[in-house]
Amino acid sequence: MIGNADHTNEKMSEKTNKSKFDKVLNTKDIFVLAFGAMIGWGWVVNTGIWIETAGALGAALAFLIGGVMVLFVGLTYAELTAAMPQCGGEHVFSYKAMGPTGSFICTWAIILGYVSVVAFEACAFPTVIQYLSPNFLQGYMYTVAGFDIYASWVAVGVITAIIITAINILGAKTAAKLQTVFTALIAGAGLLLIAGSVINGAPANIAGNMFGGSIEMGTTALGSVLTVAVMTPFLFVGFDVIPQAAEEINAGFKKIGGIMILSILMAVAFYALIILAVAYVMPLSAMADSTLVTADAMGLAFNSTIMTKVLIVGGMAGIITSWNSFLIGGSRAMFSMAESNMIPRVFAKLHPKFKTPVLAIALIGVLSVIAPFFGRKMLVWIVDAGSFGVCLAYAMVSLSFLILRKKDPDMKRPYKVRFGTFVGIVAVALSGMMTLLYVIPLPFASTALVMEEWIMAGGWAVLGVIFYGYCKFKYGDEFGAHIDVEYIDVDEKPVFAGRVGSVTE
C-alpha cells in the first residue's frame, strides 16, 4: 500500500539537512546534459530502421507523437523540479505524492531506463569503431543471437566504460565540461547532414517512401508508426537527468523548468529533421544495402567519403554524451533511494573529495563493463526494456504532479504550469498508454516486449523486490525515511523543499 506522508511529517517538521553536493552546474551545463543525452547516438544507427519500418513521414510522425507525450510529461517535471530541487528527482516527486512504496517503484523504473542507456552505449561504441576500421574485429570468442563476439570489440567497450565511469567519479563539473564539447560535435554533424540533404537531396527519394506497413508483413501504416513511436521514449530520455542533479545546479529554479522544456522541443525537432534529411538524400533501395544508413546518407549529401567519417565521429560524440548523462542520472537516483533506506545505505556514500556518489557510479559502471560481452543484438533488447521502465516512471511522475496539485496546493512553485490539471491528465494518459503498448500485443504492430526484453525487465523487477524486502527488514520503520534539504533559489531568498520528515507506511 502506498503510504501517506502527513502524520509522520509533522513530528519531524523541524529537521532539515544541508545539501551534501557542491553547486557547480550552471544553466549551460544543465542544457547540454539534457539535450546531449537526448540526441545521443541512436539516430546514427537507427534512422534507417525507422524509415524502413514506418516510411519517412511516418517515422517523423512517430517522433512527433513520442515528442508530444514527452513534452506533456516534461511540463510536469518542470514544475516539480522547480518546486522540489533535490537530488533524486522522480524519487522525491513520487515520494511526496505517494509515499515510499510508490516512490520505490517509480525510481527503480527510471533507473532501469538509465542503466539500459549506459549499457546500450557500451555496446554501441565498439560498433562505431568497427565501421571506421573494417579490420578491427580480432580474436573470435563466441556468438550471441547470431552476432559474433570478438575480443577487440569487447575490449574497446570495456576500456571506454572504465574511462567514462572514472570521469564521472571526478565530479559533475568535469562531466559537464566533457558534455559541452561532445554535444557541440554531435549537433554540428547533424546540422551538416540536414544542410547537405537540402542542397543535394531529391524529392523523388522521399515521394515513394512516405509511410510503411505492408499486407505481407501483416502491418498497417498506423501500426508501423506506433512500432517506431514506442522506441522514442528511449531516445527522448535525458531531460529528466536535470532533476536528478538538482542539488548541484547553481541557477534560478524557474530557469531550470524552462531549460527542460527547451531541450525537449529541440530534441524533437532534431530527430524529425534528421529522418527527413536521410530519406530526402538516400533512396530506400540504397538503405537496404547500407550497414550504417545515416553515415552513408551524409556521404551522399556531400558526395564525399570523408563526410561519412565526419558523421561517425559526431556519432561517437553522441555515445559519450548519453553515456555521461545517464551515469549522472542513474547514480543520483540510486543515491537518493539509499539516503531513504530503500536500497542498501552503501550507495549513499559520497567521494570525500569530489562529492560524487562513488559506489552508485561504480555499480552502473560495472554493468556497462559487462554489457559488451553480450554483443550488438543486445542493443534492441536494451532499447525496449529500458523504454518500458522510462514510460512507467513518466506515468507515475505525471500522476504525482496531479496528486500534489490537490494535496499541497500552497507549495511554492517557481515554475507553475498553466492549465495544470489538463496537462497532468494528458501526461498520465499518454505515458500510461505508451506503457501499455509494451505489455499488450497488438495485431497490427510490433510494440510488445519479446522474451529477451521481458527477461531484462523482469530481472530488474526481481532485483528491486529483493532490495525492497531486504531494506524493509533491515531498516524497519526507517525504511522510506526522508529529510528534505535546505536550498536557495539564487533569484530569490532561502526556501525549503516543502514538507520535511520521515515517511513510513
Side-chain angles (χ1 to χ4, degrees):
M1 178 179 178
I2 297 175
N4 188 312
D6 294 338
H7 298 299
T8 50
N9 278 334
E10 292 175 1
K11 70 180 183 181
M12 297 182 65
S13 59
E14 298 302 320
K15 293 186 178 181
T16 59
N17 277 347
K18 296 287 186 181
S19 176
K20 299 177 181 178
F21 294 93
D22 292 331
K23 288 188 174 296
V24 295
L25 302 177
N26 57 32
T27 52
K28 182 200 71 175
D29 294 332
I30 60 176
F31 173 76
V32 296
L33 282 174
F35 182 63
M38 285 190 280
I39 62 174
W41 158 258
W43 61 276
V44 179
V45 290
N46 291 326
T47 298
I49 296 173
W50 301 331
I51 294 172
E52 291 173 5
T53 301
L57 192 58
L61 180 60
F63 272 83
L64 290 177
I65 292 171
V68 169
M69 183 273 286
V70 172
L71 180 59
F72 274 95
V73 172
L75 286 168
T76 69
Y77 267 86
E79 178 172 305
L80 293 171
T81 302
M84 294 172 281
Q86 295 189 63
C87 176
E90 291 88 350
H91 168 76
V92 179
F93 309 154
S94 54
Y95 181 88
K96 295 288 187 179
M98 303 177 181
T101 299
S103 178
F104 187 100
I105 295 170
C106 178
T107 314
W108 196 244
I110 200 69
I111 294 175
L112 169 61
Y114 293 150
V115 170
S116 68
V117 176
V118 172
F120 176 94
E121 308 303 0
C123 295
F125 197 81
T127 301
V128 182
I129 303 300
Q130 180 183 345
Y131 189 90
L132 289 172
S133 177
N135 297 321
F136 164 66
L137 297 179
Q138 300 293 328
Y140 170 78
M141 297 169 62
Y142 48 85
T143 300
V144 175
F147 182 79
D148 295 335
I149 311 294
Y150 288 84
S152 57
W153 197 90
V154 170
V156 167
V158 169
I159 292 170
T160 309
I162 293 171
I163 293 172
I164 298 297
T165 302
I167 289 172
N168 270 268
I169 290 174
L170 292 176
K173 190 63 178 181
T174 302
K177 290 178 180 178
L178 176 76
Q179 190 81 352
T180 300
V181 173
F182 283 97
T183 298
L185 285 175
I186 189 170
L191 291 174
L192 278 174
L193 171 59
I194 294 167
S197 174
V198 170
I199 296 170
N200 296 316
N205 291 333
I206 200 171
N209 184 27
M210 300 297 280
F211 289 96
S214 67
I215 297 175
E216 293 82 4
M217 298 295 293
T219 59
T220 64
L222 174 60
S224 298
V225 169
L226 290 177
T227 298
V228 175
V230 296
M231 302 179 190
T232 60
F234 184 87
L235 283 306
F236 286 133
V237 65
F239 71 90
D240 43 280
V241 170
I242 293 177
Q244 298 295 345
E247 288 181 38
E248 297 162 89
I249 296 173
N250 185 29
F253 300 133
K254 188 173 183 179
K255 293 178 183 177
I256 294 173
I259 289 172
M260 291 177 71
I261 300 306
L262 176 63
S263 67
I264 294 170
L265 291 174
M266 289 187 63
V268 172
F270 183 88
Y271 277 112
L273 289 173
I274 289 293
I275 289 168
L276 295 174
V278 170
Y280 193 66
V281 79
M282 192 173 194
L284 185 61
S285 57
M287 294 183 194
D289 299 326
S290 173
T291 55
L292 201 58
V293 168
T294 314
D296 290 335
M298 181 76 144
L300 287 174
F302 289 92
N303 194 27
S304 168
T305 56
I306 293 177
M307 294 305 291
T308 300
K309 307 294 185 184
V310 168
L311 188 125
I312 294 173
V313 171
M316 293 171 67
I319 292 174
I320 301 302
T321 59
S322 292
W323 202 334
N324 191 47
S325 287
F326 293 113
L327 254 176
I328 292 174
S331 61
R332 273 56 175 183
M334 290 188 68
F335 170 88
S336 188
M337 292 186 77
E339 280 263 286
S340 296
N341 300 319
M342 292 182 177
I343 61 176
R345 288 280 304 178
V346 67
F347 294 112
K349 177 180 173 60
L350 291 182
H351 191 284
K353 179 179 180 181
F354 304 118
K355 299 295 181 66
T356 52
V358 58
L359 295 181
I361 293 173
L363 175 61
I364 299 175
V366 168
L367 294 176
S368 67
V369 166
I370 294 171
F373 288 91
F374 291 89
R376 196 165 64 191
K377 182 64 176 177
M378 188 182 184
L379 295 181
V380 178
W381 302 337
I382 289 172
V383 167
D384 290 338
S387 293
F388 172 69
V390 168
C391 286
L392 177 58
Y394 284 174
M396 295 188 72
V397 169
S398 301
L399 183 59
S400 298
F401 170 85
L402 287 174
I403 292 173
L404 289 172
R405 274 290 185 104
K406 184 176 180 62
K407 180 179 178 181
D408 197 353
D410 297 326
M411 176 188 291
K412 185 175 178 62
R413 293 171 168 86
Y415 185 98
K416 188 166 185 177
V417 176
R418 296 182 64 188
F419 310 109
T421 300
F422 170 76
V423 169
I425 291 172
V426 173
V428 170
L430 292 178
S431 55
M433 286 189 293
M434 192 71 81
T435 304
L436 290 176
L437 286 175
Y438 295 101
V439 179
I440 303 173
L442 298 177
F444 56 87
S446 302
T447 61
L449 300 183
V450 299
M451 181 184 68
E452 292 86 356
E453 295 158 359
W454 275 121
I455 290 173
M456 288 184 176
W460 188 254
V462 169
L463 179 60
V465 170
I466 292 172
F467 274 159
Y468 184 97
Y470 169 79
C471 292
K472 191 81 170 171
F473 175 78
K474 180 177 177 63
Y475 301 116
D477 289 343
E478 288 301 308
F479 176 87
H482 174 77
I483 298 179
D484 284 314
V485 298
E486 180 183 8
Y487 65 84
I488 298 176
D489 189 335
V490 297
D491 291 336
E492 297 183 14
K493 58 185 179 180
V495 288
F496 296 89
R499 294 191 180 95
V500 185
S502 171
V503 181
T504 54
E505 292 188 55

